[in-house]
């Protein structure tokens, strides 16, 4: 039950990232480049304060930091730029669809083969994702936005995979944010054009709470989840984002999207219960 609650809180935080970014960028409160930089800065400061209060040490310059910092920077930049044109829910669908495929591919290559029930559950969830992305009256996803979110998904998949070996999730997340800051600043700082107080507030909330603390919690939960279940669990994020986007941001929630959400939830449930059934049989 504790693992379930922690995982649920983490997924809600991930969905909130989409809502906050969409609200800030699409609402013209801030440009996407400034949002990404402030988001990383807020996450680094928040996590640094927590580390100081814990009086914990972290290895800032370790070989594993390179993958974590670079993949985090790729995710941050692509994520912000994508929400210039994508709805919060649609962006989350593309992001975690890419993450799921990437992590399933990595799991298969490294020998952690999924069970038949997990494959069926993942396939059902993937059909739900494709249904949600199917062209409708408003057309399909904006191509540049979808491309940016695909890049962000690849970055997040690499970040998630690299985090499995971390002994101290909070220290690793803090170090990754600190090292990510100069990367995104150098790449994006020249393209910052617009910031407002509201934009700063949304970026700080996204960086310090739903990103920094959310990622630290994800790093702590991830080692306790079977490798093949981690990408499937994350498929709940776009569903949360779709519903919250419709309620809070006024985004369209059609019958097709509702059906897609049902397929994704059912697929996740099938995959998650697979392991518990196998355990009882033993």
């Amino acid at each position: 039950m504790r693992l379930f609650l922690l995982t649920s809180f983490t997924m809600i935080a991930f969905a909130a990232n989409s809502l906050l970014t969409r609200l800030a960028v699409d609402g013209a409160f801030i440009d996407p480049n400034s949002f990404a930089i402030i988001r990383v800065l807020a996450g680094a400061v928040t996590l640094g304060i927590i580390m100081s209060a814990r009086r914990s040490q972290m290895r800032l310059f370790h070989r594993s930091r390179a993958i974590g910092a670079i993949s985090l920077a790729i995710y941050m930049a692509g994520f912000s730029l994508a929400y210039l044109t994508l709805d919060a829910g649609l962006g989350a669908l593309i992001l975690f669809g890419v993450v799921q495929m990437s992590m399933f591919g990595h799991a298969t290559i490294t020998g952690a083969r999924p069970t038949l029930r997990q494959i069926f559950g993942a396939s059902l969830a993937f059909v739900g994702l494709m249904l949600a992305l199917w062209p409708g009256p408003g057309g399909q996803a904006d191509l540049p936005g979808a491309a940016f979110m695909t890049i962000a998904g690849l970055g997040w998949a690499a970040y998630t995979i690299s985090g499995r070996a971390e002994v101290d999730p909070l220290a690793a997340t803090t170090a990754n944010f600190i090292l990510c800051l100069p990367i995104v600043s150098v790449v994006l700082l020249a393209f910052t054009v617009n910031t407002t107080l509201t934009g700063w507030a949304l970026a700080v909330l996204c960086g310090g709470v739903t990103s920094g603390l959310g990622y630290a919690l994800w790093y702590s939960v991830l080692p306790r989840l079977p490798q093949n279940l981690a990408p499937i669990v994350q498929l709940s994020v776009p569903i949360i984002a779709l519903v919250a986007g419709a309620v809070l941001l006024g985004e369209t929630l059609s019958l097709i999207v509702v059906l897609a959400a049902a397929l994704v939830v059912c697929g996740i449930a099938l995959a998650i219960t697979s392991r518990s059934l196998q355990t009882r049989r033993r």
Side-chain angles (χ1 to χ4, degrees):
M1 179 59 69
R2 184 172 182 270
L3 180 61
F4 172 79
L5 291 175
L6 290 175
T7 304
S8 299
F9 288 144
T10 306
M11 298 304 104
I12 292 172
F14 288 172
N17 284 331
S18 294
L19 298 173
L20 292 170
T21 305
R22 175 64 171 169
L23 176 61
V25 174
D26 182 61
F29 293 112
I30 191 171
D31 65 90
N33 301 312
S34 298
F35 186 91
I37 294 171
I38 297 169
R39 180 184 177 187
V40 175
L41 174 62
V45 171
T46 300
L47 293 170
I49 292 173
I50 295 174
M51 288 291 292
S52 299
R54 277 191 4 173
R55 296 183 178 180
S56 301
Q57 296 182 346
M58 62 180 175
R59 292 189 294 178
L60 190 59
F61 299 103
H62 186 264
R63 61 183 181 181
S64 63
R65 296 283 80 79
I67 298 177
I70 293 174
S71 60
L72 182 61
I74 292 172
Y75 158 74
M76 288 288 184
F79 191 83
S80 295
L81 291 168
Y83 277 120
L84 280 169
T85 56
L86 296 181
D87 285 349
L90 182 57
L93 280 172
I94 297 173
L95 175 72
F96 286 94
V98 172
V99 170
Q100 184 220 27
M101 289 185 290
S102 300
M103 293 187 65
F104 256 86
H106 179 269
T108 302
I109 292 172
T110 55
R113 299 188 180 278
T115 65
L116 290 177
R117 181 170 176 144
Q118 287 173 340
I119 292 174
F120 179 74
S123 300
L124 190 64
F126 186 73
V127 169
L129 285 176
M130 292 300 99
L131 182 61
L133 289 170
W134 195 260
Q140 55 188 335
D142 174 77
L143 185 58
F148 278 126
M149 193 59 80
T150 299
I151 294 172
L154 294 173
W156 178 248
Y159 184 79
T160 301
I161 293 169
S162 67
R164 284 190 171 276
E166 298 293 349
V167 177
D168 188 338
L170 183 59
T173 306
T174 304
N176 286 335
F177 265 78
I178 292 173
L179 293 177
C180 175
L181 181 59
I183 298 175
V184 295
S185 297
V186 169
V187 174
L188 301 178
L189 190 59
F191 302 99
T192 58
V193 293
N194 173 53
T195 59
T196 65
L197 185 59
T198 301
W200 269 82
L202 292 171
V204 168
L205 179 61
C206 184
V209 180
T210 59
S211 294
L213 297 181
Y215 297 167
L217 184 58
W218 177 237
Y219 261 2
S220 65
V221 168
L222 193 60
R224 288 180 273 175
L225 292 175
Q227 187 172 358
N228 290 317
L229 292 189
I232 302 173
V233 169
Q234 291 183 83
L235 285 175
S236 64
V237 174
I239 304 308
I240 298 172
L242 281 167
V243 175
V247 174
L248 301 177
L249 303 182
E251 297 176 351
T252 303
L253 187 60
S254 64
L255 180 60
I256 292 180
V257 172
V258 173
L259 178 59
L263 288 173
V264 171
V265 170
C266 290
I268 292 173
L270 282 172
I272 290 177
T273 55
S274 173
R275 183 171 179 268
S276 61
L277 287 173
Q278 290 176 357
T279 302
R280 283 199 298 268
R281 285 172 185 170
R282 292 174 187 173

